[in-house]
Amino acid sequence: MAVCARLCGVGPARGCRRRGAAREQRRGGGGDSEPDTDTDPEEAGGGGGASVEDDELTERIECSRPALHPAEVGPNGRAPMSLLELPPELLVQIFGSLPGTDLPSLARVCTTFRRILRTDTIWRRRCREEYGVCENLRKLEITGVSCRDVYAKLLHRYRHILGLWQPDIGPYGGLLNVVVDGLFIIGWMYLPPHDPHVDDPMRFKPLFRIHLMERKSATVECMYGHKGPHNGHIQIVKKDEFSTKCNQTDHHRMSGGRQEEFRTWLREEWGRTLEDIFHEHMQELILMKFIYTSQYDNCLTYRRIYLPPSSPDDLIKPGLFKGTYGSHGLEIVMLSFHGRKAKGTKITGDPNIPAGQQTVEIDLAHPLQLPDIENLRDFSELSRIVLEVQEQVRREEQEEEQQQGEDEDRSQQAASSPAAQPQGGEGAEVEETAAGAEWATQDKTPASQPFVLPMGVISRNEDYPRACRICFYGTGLIAGHGFTSPERTPGVFVLFDDDRFGFIWLELKSFSLYSRIKVSFQNAEAPSREAFDEMLKNIQSLAT
């Protein structure tokens, strides 16, 4: 503790060298002593000097201190008075433990600190601890690039684009993950598996990369196309938004023209040829998507998205899922929990329901008791159960609106007569809290019950689970082409396990199966619940 007090300039030893020098001068001793370079904040602020009585009191305190431990004794036979007296190798260890953003300020303190901060060991440690760079950075010395250059001109400069992003590609959206990959920063576009294999892992391809070719500045390269990396550009537009531009779009073209480009895109996007797709409407949708997305030529604007925050009361862990959407193929959906509601927001979309829209909403306060397995096969029986709950929800919403109106009236009366303060809203608030906690008090892992799709319900994937945990009433968003005449229709949310759920669209007589995306995304956590809610609102407003 004594060493820490002296290094930090606090405690009873603060300014002791200056007081000692002043005392010796007043007593007539040694006017030739070396001037002290340490600055005490109080003395620098114009405070008066110490009196002789103060000096004598300080001397008595100094004499009454215990002797220093040998480990606290510096090279001059005393404890070090400042950081400048520590060995350089110890300063390297101290500076290397500080955040890289603090080091430039430290370099402005003195020439000694500036010289020590040129040590690559410090910056190699910051690259590893802050950005996970585990490669042997010493190999860079051959090219004349230092670890400080990697940190300052690559990692720190482009730190704001790390994380998850949604590209602005009309209704289709997308999922981009920007990561530090070795000595590169790479933007990976994540693609769902080929339809209808919803349980298969995600596919991904690079769209751009940034690396340090020379000491001057980082190089941005476009990775789109099949001719290798070529010149690109990245511009950070504002907070949580950046754009990319390809400066050599001729690298995206193929010798066989648009027909070859389309066939190549079809194999990558759908894993099949156009001849394999017999459904005429599906062919139209595929061709429409190719024409729309290829016109961007990797010149895109990206907006940041966050992973949903989790709570111990959540039904399952929120996150990203891939789900089946009929002729549109597989799409990416974000499941998040909001009190007694759960929401599924599209990260990728289609011309009917674009990316950013809330595709499903689950009412966790209204679980459904499915009929036995034989009656479950009867679609009319399931429809009857769901429509009864829908009517119940409507009545509750009407009663809630009526209650809110009465509360407002009482509040106005209370404002006009302060003496009588009714406790109007408390009962409704307690009731809402109880309703919101109703689903949370249920057993999250109930005994599974047999499950089968009713006759007539279409599923792209027949390999769905034949047992489920619990079902809830919900609504699904449907619309015409171009997001025309959107409406919410009743449906059934089916929870199979921690990583899979389904949704039965009653009006469409179709079934969507969702499977969790099991990828560990970095730099994707929302700073707060409010920031996540604001992000959801923003991407939905952009979609409309």
Side-chain angles (χ1 to χ4, degrees):
M1 289 300 293
V3 175
C4 294
R6 288 165 174 77
L7 291 179
C8 298
V10 297
R14 188 175 192 176
C16 58
R17 283 195 293 170
R18 175 167 295 181
R19 288 196 296 269
R23 187 166 59 249
E24 290 297 328
Q25 289 178 1
R26 283 193 292 270
R27 292 177 180 176
D32 299 331
S33 61
E34 182 180 353
D36 184 24
T37 58
D38 289 345
T39 302
D40 183 82
E42 294 180 2
E43 293 177 357
S51 64
V52 177
E53 289 79 3
D54 292 337
D55 292 335
E56 292 175 353
L57 177 61
T58 302
E59 186 174 359
R60 287 197 299 272
I61 294 175
E62 294 285 351
C63 294
S64 64
R65 282 188 183 148
L68 291 172
H69 189 277
E72 300 177 352
V73 177
N76 300 325
R78 58 176 173 76
M81 303 300 296
S82 74
L83 287 173
L84 290 171
E85 297 183 25
L86 292 176
E89 57 272 18
L90 184 55
L91 289 178
V92 168
Q93 293 296 321
I94 294 174
F95 294 171
S97 64
L98 298 175
T101 52
D102 292 345
L103 299 183
S105 300
L106 195 60
R108 290 193 289 268
V109 172
C110 62
T111 55
T112 301
F113 285 4
R114 190 179 305 115
R115 183 174 62 252
I116 291 174
L117 286 170
R118 295 194 186 106
T119 307
D120 255 16
T121 304
I122 296 173
W123 299 99
R124 191 179 302 120
R125 180 177 175 182
R126 298 322 315 147
C127 290
R128 182 181 68 252
E129 293 186 0
E130 293 183 27
Y131 297 100
V133 178
C134 300
E135 277 65 23
N136 187 358
L137 296 177
R138 291 188 177 89
K139 295 178 181 178
L140 291 174
E141 297 176 0
I142 303 175
T143 63
V145 177
S146 67
C147 296
R148 183 180 182 277
D149 292 329
V150 173
Y151 185 93
K153 298 176 181 178
L154 177 66
L155 303 177
H156 181 71
R157 179 180 177 184
Y158 291 98
R159 69 193 184 281
H160 294 302
I161 71 171
L162 299 176
L164 289 178
W165 303 83
Q166 185 184 51
D168 184 6
I169 315 180
Y172 298 104
L175 180 64
L176 181 83
N177 186 27
V178 183
V179 298
V180 176
D181 191 345
L183 299 178
F184 294 85
I185 292 178
I186 302 180
W188 296 98
M189 180 68 84
Y190 274 73
L191 306 170
H194 293 138
D195 182 54
H197 307 292
V198 71
D199 287 325
D200 287 357
M202 295 286 286
R203 300 173 295 125
F204 47 89
K205 64 179 181 180
L207 291 191
F208 63 83
R209 71 179 186 182
I210 315 170
H211 59 123
L212 211 58
M213 299 285 289
E214 54 186 19
R215 292 188 61 185
K216 186 180 295 184
S217 62
T219 300
V220 178
E221 293 177 327
C222 174
M223 304 290 289
Y224 191 79
H226 297 81
K227 295 183 179 179
H230 46 282
N231 187 21
H233 175 72
I234 286 181
Q235 179 182 2
I236 300 177
V237 181
K238 58 184 179 180
K239 182 185 177 183
D240 297 335
E241 183 176 323
F242 76 96
S243 61
T244 59
K245 180 182 178 182
C246 177
N247 296 328
Q248 294 176 289
T249 55
D250 56 298
H251 281 63
H252 306 168
R253 309 281 81 86
M254 289 186 169
S255 57
R258 296 288 281 176
Q259 187 174 5
E260 182 183 359
E261 292 172 14
F262 173 64
R263 291 186 177 277
T264 303
W265 174 86
L266 188 59
R267 284 195 301 269
E268 294 177 351
E269 187 83 5
W270 292 84
R272 63 182 77 177
T273 64
L274 196 61
E275 291 75 17
D276 298 333
I277 303 172
F278 301 106
H279 198 288
E280 185 177 350
H281 179 59
M282 191 172 184
Q283 290 180 353
E284 293 175 354
L285 291 173
I286 291 174
L287 184 59
M288 185 187 308
K289 184 175 182 179
F290 168 74
I291 295 173
Y292 193 98
T293 58
S294 60
Q295 66 180 334
Y296 286 90
D297 267 334
N298 207 24
C299 300
L300 297 168
T301 297
Y302 298 88
R303 295 177 178 86
R304 183 180 295 280
I305 59 175
Y306 299 116
L307 293 177
S310 60
S311 165
D313 294 331
D314 292 339
L315 187 66
I316 59 173
K317 182 181 178 182
L320 296 174
F321 291 77
K322 42 198 187 299
T324 57
Y325 278 88
S327 300
H328 298 293
L330 299 188
E331 298 182 11
I332 300 174
V333 171
M334 176 184 291
L335 179 68
S336 57
F337 292 91
H338 308 262
R340 58 179 181 178
K341 301 284 187 182
K343 299 178 181 179
T345 305
K346 280 195 172 186
I347 303 302
T348 62
D350 52 68
N352 291 69
I353 307 297
Q357 288 295 333
Q358 186 181 313
T359 176
V360 294
E361 181 176 279
I362 302 100
D363 190 340
L364 299 172
H366 292 87
L368 294 178
Q369 183 62 46
L370 296 181
D372 58 74
I373 194 69
E374 291 302 324
N375 290 326
L376 183 57
R377 295 181 185 275
D378 184 1
F379 178 80
S380 60
E381 178 64 17
L382 178 64
S383 180
R384 182 190 62 80
I385 295 174
V386 174
L387 294 179
E388 285 180 357
V389 176
Q390 182 188 34
E391 185 60 31
Q392 178 186 349
V393 171
R394 282 179 181 171
R395 288 197 304 269
E396 292 175 357
E397 289 176 349
Q398 291 175 353
E399 292 173 359
E400 187 174 348
E401 290 177 0
Q402 183 178 359
Q403 182 68 35
Q404 289 177 352
E406 294 175 357
D407 292 343
E408 291 177 0
D409 293 340
R410 283 194 290 266
S411 298
Q412 293 175 357
Q413 294 175 2
S416 59
S417 56
Q421 291 288 345
Q423 307 297 320
E426 291 186 1
E429 183 177 351
V430 171
E431 182 179 350
E432 180 178 349
T433 305
E438 181 180 343
W439 66 269
T441 57
Q442 298 171 356
D443 187 0
K444 292 187 180 181
T445 57
S448 62
Q449 54 183 327
F451 177 81
V452 66
L453 286 176
M455 297 293 292
V457 174
I458 302 171
S459 174
R460 296 283 296 176
N461 193 331
E462 293 297 333
D463 189 23
Y464 61 88
R466 294 308 195 268
C468 67
R469 289 184 183 174
I470 192 171
C471 298
F472 291 94
Y473 169 79
T475 58
L477 183 63
I478 63 174
H481 187 85
F483 196 49
T484 56
S485 304
E487 62 173 322
R488 293 211 159 269
T489 60
V492 182
F493 171 84
V494 186
L495 178 63
F496 295 113
D497 51 45
D498 288 339
D499 297 322
R500 288 179 298 180
F501 65 88
F503 192 84
I504 301 176
W505 309 74
L506 285 190
E507 186 164 327
L508 301 178
K509 284 192 175 182
S510 68
F511 173 74
S512 293
L513 178 64
Y514 301 83
S515 179
R516 186 182 298 277
I517 296 176
K518 298 178 181 179
V519 177
S520 179
F521 294 108
Q522 304 296 321
N523 303 296
E525 300 299 327
S528 65
R529 180 79 206 193
E530 292 73 20
F532 176 78
D533 292 338
E534 184 68 20
M535 180 271 299
L536 278 187
K537 184 166 50 174
N538 288 339
I539 63 174
Q540 185 171 359
S541 63
L542 291 170
T544 53

